[in-house]
């Protein structure tokens, strides 16, 4: 199960990233798909393929969907991906308020499982307030890519 911690205390701040890139999408219905495809290509170009790449794609889509759903409708969503020797990290930043929490909806509920997937599949994940003084937060996850 994922370990929730504040980004500022994450050991990954001391890592060397071989890929460190960002894309910005408008908070609209097409944003999750566009972000998923961009992250999937970026991670694959760095040599991360197979099941890890698919999990990165899935979790990115879940976080961007949440940003679109809970953030301002006219806002922007920043998707940042970093790939190191042993880790992939994706962070999704929006201008929305609130603090994401994992929910466990009824089996028949049509939505509400995104963060539960992140919690179940990521090595670690968490949230942090935006450091640039703007409202909002970044929700991030990390996956181990070591053999």
């Amino acid at each position: 199960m994922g370990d929730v911690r504040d980004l500022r205390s994450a050991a990954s701040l001391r890592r060397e990233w071989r890929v460190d890139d960002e894309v910005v999408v408008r908070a609209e219905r097409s944003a999750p798909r566009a972000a998923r495809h961009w992250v999937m290509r970026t991670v694959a170009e760095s040599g991360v393929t197979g099941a890890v790449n698919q999990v990165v794609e899935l979790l990115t889509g879940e976080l961007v969907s949440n940003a679109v759903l809970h953030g301002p409708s006219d806002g922007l969503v920043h998707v940042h991906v970093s790939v190191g020797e042993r880790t992939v990290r994706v962070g999704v930043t929006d201008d929305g308020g609130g603090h994401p929490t994992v929910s466990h909806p009824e089996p028949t509920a049509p939505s509400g499982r995104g963060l539960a997937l992140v919690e179940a599949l990521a090595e670690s994940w968490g949230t942090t307030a935006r450091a640039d003084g703007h409202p909002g937060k970044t929700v991030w996850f990390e996956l181990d890519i070591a053999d």
Side-chain angles (χ1 to χ4, degrees), residues 26-63:
R26 293 213 166 277
E28 53 192 30
R29 289 180 54 172
S30 62
R33 181 173 184 245
R36 279 193 334 262
H37 288 266
W38 177 82
V39 167
M40 182 179 64
R41 281 191 313 272
T42 302
V43 171
E45 288 170 1
S46 74
V48 178
T49 59
V52 173
N53 191 300
Q54 292 172 350
V55 173
V56 168
E57 179 185 13
L58 172 68
L59 300 185
T60 298
E62 293 298 335
L63 293 187

Side-chain angles (χ1 to χ4, degrees), residues 78-146:
H78 297 253
V79 182
H80 188 259
V81 64
S82 301
V83 181
E85 290 302 315
R86 304 181 60 89
T87 305
V88 172
R89 170 189 283 271
V90 175
V92 176
T93 304
D94 67 63
D95 296 332
H99 185 77
T101 57
V102 177
S103 61
H104 302 283
E106 293 295 319
T108 56
S111 64
R113 294 172 186 80
L115 283 180
L117 282 171
V118 173
E119 182 179 59
L121 297 175
E123 279 12 277
S124 60
W125 74 280
T127 63
T128 188
R130 288 183 60 168
D132 60 7
H134 289 71
K137 75 268 179 206
T138 299
V139 182
W140 59 270
F141 67 85
E142 290 187 349
L143 292 174
D144 186 8
I145 59 174

